[in-house]
Every structure is written in C-alpha cells, then in structure tokens.
Amino acid sequence: MSKKTSAAATSSNSNVTVTDNVSGKESTFPILTGTEGPPVIDIRRLYAETGYFTYDPGFVATGSCESKITYIDGDNGILLHRGYPIEQLAENSDFLEVCYLLLYGELPTSDQKSEFDRAITLHTMLHEQLTNFYRGFRRDAHPMAIMCGVVGALSAFYHDSTDISDPHQRMVASYRMVAKMPTIAGWAYKYSLGQPFIYPRNDLDFAENFLHMMFATPCEDYEINPVIAKAMDRILILHADHEQNASTSTVRLTGSSGANPFACISAGIASLWGPAHGGANEAVLNMLREIGSKENIPNYIKKAKDPDDPFRIMGFGHRVYKNFDPRAKIMRETCHSVLDELDIRDEPLLDLAMELERIALEDEYFVDRKLYPNVDFYSGIIFQALGIPTTMFTVLFAVARTVGWIAQWNEMIEDPSQKIGRPRQLYTGADRRDHIPISERS
Ligand code: ACO
C-alpha cells in the first residue's frame, strides 16, 4: 500500500488517498483537525473500503476518541487542562477548583466553587457496611489491592446513581467518587496499620481531610501542617488528568460497554497500579534505596542500557513527553520547598535522585531516546518527607486521577459517536484444524 497526501493536512478539506498496490484501487480518507496537535486520518471506513485493518500495538499512532479535556504537546513539554497550562493551575488553583474545571469545562465563579466544595464535602463518608469489605483483606494486603476491591464494591451500594443515561445521576456518581476516594485511601492505610478508621471532617479542605484520615487516631488529633497540606494539594493537581493514558483508556474502554461507573474506576485503578504507569512512583523509591549511594549509579545506568537486562531507570521516559514532563519540573521545585520547610537539610535519596538525573541526562543513550524524568521521579521523595509509606504512593495518584477518569468517562458517555471499544487483531495462530481424540494424540 502506498500513500499520497492530496493537500495540506491542516485544512479540514484535506484527505489522504491510499493505493492498494495489489488491486490498484484507491481509497480516500478525510483528515480531521483539532484545536491543537497534529491532524488525524479518519480511518473509520478503512476496513469497509479496503478490506485492511491497521496494526498499532500500544496505540502509538492511534487516536481512540475525540476529547476537549486535556491537551499534551510532548515535544514542547506542554500540558493544558481545558486550555489552562498546568503551571498556572498548580500556582493559582486548589485541587477542587481543578476538579470543577475538568468536570464542567470552565473555572468556577466563587459561588459555583463554594457550592462545589460543599457538595463534595457532603459526600465524603462511606456507607458503614463498607467497613466489612476492608475486614475481608489480609492485613498485609497492598493498599492498591484494597482500592481495586473497595471501589469496585461501591457499585453494590449506590443504586440511585448508576443510570448512566441520566446526566444528573452521572454527576452524583462523579461527586461521590471524587469525594469518597480520600476516605477509601485513608482507610486502606489505617487497615494496614491495624488502627481504627478515621472519619472525614467537614471543616477541613480536601487535602487536609485526606491527611487527617491517614494520620489522626481516636486518641490523638493530627495537627495539620499548612506546608504539607499545600504540597499535598499541589501533588493532587499535578496528577488530576493526563489525556488518554493506560488507566484512562481502561476506564473509557470498560465504560464503553455501559458498565457501572464505580466498576469502571476500579478497572482504572488496576491499570494504574502497574510499574510502567502509576506504580512507578513506588518503584522509583525502591530503586533509589537499591542503588544506595552515588558510587553505584554508573553500574545501574549500565544495567538500564543493557538490552539483555530488563532493568529500567524508574521515573524516566514517557510515551508522549520527548522533551520534558512539565509536571516533573513543578514536582522537583515542590520537593525542594517541602524539604526546606520541613527543615530536612540532608536527604540522601534526593541527592541520589539529582545525581542520577544529572548523569542520565548527559548520557548518549538517554539523550538519543529522549528519556527525561517524568512526574513520578520526584513525587516519591516528597511523599517520604511527608511521612507517607511507599505502598501508599500509587494510592495517592489514584485519589488524584479519579477526577480525570470520571471526567473522561462522562465525556465518552455524552459523545454521540461513542461505540463499544473493540480493537481488531493480526492473527498469527494455527489455521483451522480438527479436534483429535486424546487417545490418538502423540
Ligand atoms: N530506562 C532505560 N531505558 C528506557 C527507559 C527507562 N526508564 N524507558 C524507555 N527506555 C528505552 C527502551 O528500552 C527503548 O530502547 P530501545 O529503542 O533501544 O529498544 C526506548 O527507550 C523506547 O522505550 P519504549 O519502551 O518503546 O517506550 P514506551 O513509550 O513504550 O514506554 C514508558 C514509556 C513505559 C514510560 C517507559 O519509558 C518506562 O518503562 N519508563 C519507566 C517507568 C516509568 O517511569 N513509568 C511512569 C510513566 S509516567 C506515568 O505513568 C505517570
């Protein structure tokens, strides 16, 4: 098959003609342009017109949907939510303002913001019976395993908000999920410690309440450090959405069959857990501890470059960012300010991380492949300074990303061109053959 482009790809009148070199048949496909980013070839009629599927493992060159929520320019390190740069949101918004923006498309007025904050606050409690679910887990269960289970279990509790064709019910489910996630996460942590669950407090803001549910006990209140609460809020903003990544695509694909929204978010949590995605923040800290000291860095760089060694520098590289991850830049600054504020003068893991970054960024292997630190490279060091255990790192990511998942899920349900997600395949297995009775098999 050969390809010729019939006009400049920036015009909506453009198209691409493909020629089948076997039959000589030409087929033309429209080029669609968005507000930002490269144009896309609309191949929805490719199979009907040519008899060919496309083959793109990992969806490297495939757009799965149209979206108005988040835009990433990976070559220039740009991340926009509803058009607003992440740097401006991290500096000027709080997490719930970003949630409102992602869900509704605009920044709220002050009345809308107060009403939204109040509504989220009123949904923070969990059904009391959910405590029984926690008790079914082993004490040493990974908190992400508990998150998958408990969030999935919400689908059995909130029957008044699961008619996905009703926009009001969808919004109630969305509020519930954003509001309850810190409670679910805080309780997962408490369960692992063997401490009693701490109930949410309506006088605290989102980040403060989350810290309270993780660190207070019935015998002693947790004194909230404003610096820690501010850092937590900023970390939540930095993780709120990231267009069609693995977990978001999982939520969309799961939801495309009309599945229960709480179950869809549980599927997203499962996808996020993997070390190639949200699990990288936990993996970074484990890796830094394993490297141990600066003298060992060259050895690990060597391992990362060895094609026969599966080791990778965790927190490095990204499918889309090929220049720098703007979230990593803010995260590094936040990391320094948190350590300063907490008067942590000597943090060996931070020194190690900075040295590893310096060496990797000067190494031809990483430069050639455009591998830069991603958002997870520094987040673990902040979490550790805040007193959060390693196994909770990806849970924090899930708390933040829930709003992105639910905003994308809502957008998918409202999209008139939405269909059940059903990729095709390149089959390379056995041809048709007949069953042989077991006694005749050699
Ligand atoms: N360390 C060493 N080499 C790497 C790394 C790394 N962290 N990341 C990519 N490479 C190399 C690959 O070996 C490959 O080399 P090759 O061309 O010689 O075969 C090349 O760079 C391209 O890598 P791919 O795996 O094809 O890139 P892909 O876009 O599929 O993967 C990913 C992106 C999964 C993020 C990858 O860079 C990675 O595994 N990084 C470490 C895990 C991590 O930090 N994940 C968090 C991502 S951000 C997030 O989810 C919030």
Side-chain angles (χ1 to χ4, degrees):
M1 216 193 277
S2 66
K3 176 183 89 117
K4 61 183 186 203
T5 309
S6 66
T10 45
S11 152
S12 55
N13 295 324
S14 303
N15 54 54
V16 162
T17 301
V18 290
T19 307
D20 182 338
N21 288 338
V22 179
S23 66
K25 188 184 166 201
E26 287 197 339
S27 310
T28 299
F29 300 95
I31 290 177
L32 309 177
T33 52
T35 41
E36 301 263 13
V40 301
I41 305 169
D42 180 351
I43 55 158
R44 277 174 286 190
R45 293 204 46 76
L46 182 78
Y47 180 62
E49 293 194 12
T50 67
Y52 291 107
F53 292 141
T54 54
Y55 179 60
D56 183 18
F59 310 108
V60 177
T62 299
S64 60
C65 63
E66 186 188 324
S67 182
K68 295 180 169 51
I69 300 175
T70 292
Y71 172 70
I72 302 173
D73 176 344
D75 292 329
N76 294 306
I78 292 170
L79 168 60
L80 309 177
H81 292 318
R82 303 286 191 182
Y84 296 101
I86 189 65
E87 293 84 358
Q88 291 183 22
L89 294 171
E91 188 60 36
N92 304 310
S93 294
D94 67 9
F95 177 64
L96 283 186
E97 179 165 273
V98 174
C99 289
Y100 186 98
L101 177 69
L102 291 171
L103 288 170
Y104 289 105
E106 296 296 336
L107 287 169
T109 62
S110 76
D111 283 352
Q112 287 168 334
K113 174 69 167 52
S114 313
E115 179 49 32
F116 185 67
D117 286 1
R118 197 183 134 271
I120 294 293
T121 304
L122 292 179
H123 280 297
T124 50
M125 283 213 299
L126 297 181
H127 193 292
E128 193 60 22
Q129 242 185 305
L130 266 168
T131 57
N132 296 329
F133 273 83
Y134 284 87
R135 298 205 166 92
F137 286 97
R138 282 168 55 131
R139 283 282 175 201
D140 59 357
H142 194 288
M144 282 299 276
I146 300 183
M147 295 294 287
C148 292
V150 174
V151 173
L154 293 184
S155 55
F157 282 82
Y158 298 105
H159 298 297
D160 61 337
S161 61
T162 50
D163 176 0
I164 61 166
S165 63
D166 177 350
H168 174 70
Q169 290 200 33
R170 282 205 306 275
M171 211 33 103
V172 173
S174 306
Y175 279 33
R176 280 188 173 139
M177 236 144 350
V178 171
K180 292 181 196 308
M181 205 57 87
T183 317
I184 296 171
W187 287 16
Y189 179 46
K190 286 299 189 195
Y191 186 75
S192 72
L193 296 177
Q195 289 184 2
F197 298 136
I198 296 295
Y199 288 82
R201 261 178 49 188
N202 286 1
D203 59 321
L204 300 177
D205 73 22
F206 194 88
E208 291 171 346
N209 200 19
F210 186 23
L211 290 166
H212 159 75
M213 288 186 285
M214 272 196 292
F215 296 121
T217 68
C219 12
E220 211 168 302
D221 226 8
Y222 170 69
E223 206 178 308
I224 289 157
N225 176 330
V227 175
I228 293 186
K230 174 79 193 141
M232 176 61 78
D233 194 75
R234 180 172 279 190
I235 291 167
L236 294 172
I237 292 174
L238 293 180
H239 290 88
D241 190 51
H242 213 230
E243 57 120 295
Q244 308 313 320
N245 54 82
S247 57
T248 302
S249 298
T250 301
V251 170
R252 279 187 179 255
L253 189 58
T254 311
S256 73
S257 69
N260 178 289
F262 301 100
C264 295
I265 299 301
S266 174
I269 294 171
S271 168
L272 186 74
W273 192 0
H277 191 9
N281 53 17
E282 181 176 343
V284 169
L285 221 68
N286 291 335
M287 173 193 74
L288 291 174
R289 286 181 185 132
E290 189 186 314
I291 295 176
S293 70
K294 289 182 190 172
E295 301 77 70
N296 296 332
I297 292 176
N299 190 29
Y300 280 85
I301 294 273
K302 205 167 138 212
K303 274 162 72 65
K305 289 157 55 171
D306 179 353
D308 298 326
D309 190 327
F311 174 77
R312 286 185 168 198
I313 302 290
M314 287 291 123
F316 251 76
H318 197 276
R319 171 63 61 77
V320 184
Y321 292 120
K322 299 300 175 195
N323 179 329
F324 66 93
D325 178 343
R327 302 166 303 168
K329 227 171 155 181
I330 306 170
M331 199 63 96
R332 185 158 65 155
E333 285 161 21
T334 309
C335 187
H336 282 292
S337 66
V338 165
L339 296 180
D340 278 353
E341 287 286 340
L342 297 179
D343 209 19
I344 301 175
R345 296 278 159 233
D346 185 25
E347 172 47 73
L349 288 185
L350 177 63
D351 290 348
L352 196 57
M354 284 170 55
E355 184 63 1
L356 179 59
E357 180 186 10
R358 190 188 65 75
I359 294 176
L361 292 183
E362 284 173 2
D363 192 293
E364 207 178 311
Y365 173 95
F366 291 86
V367 174
D368 285 355
R369 289 167 181 75
K370 300 186 172 168
L371 301 169
Y372 293 88
N374 59 50
V375 69
D376 288 324
F377 194 66
Y378 284 103
S379 60
I381 296 168
I382 309 183
F383 291 150
Q384 181 178 261
L386 300 187
I388 294 164
T390 319
T391 54
M392 282 295 287
F393 291 1
T394 314
V395 173
L396 266 69
F397 194 155
V399 169
R401 183 55 59 83
T402 294
V403 68
W405 290 329
I406 203 74
Q408 301 264 355
W409 171 82
N410 265 299
E411 183 177 64
M412 179 201 63
I413 302 284
E414 284 166 10
D415 183 349
S417 63
Q418 190 266 325
K419 284 171 181 283
I420 186 168
R422 196 353 181 144
R424 305 308 294 246
Q425 64 170 9
L426 174 64
Y427 177 69
T428 52
D431 283 337
R432 186 204 178 279
R433 48 188 172 164
D434 291 321
H435 180 269
I436 303 165
I438 195 164
S439 55
E440 293 172 25
R441 285 177 224 156
S442 51

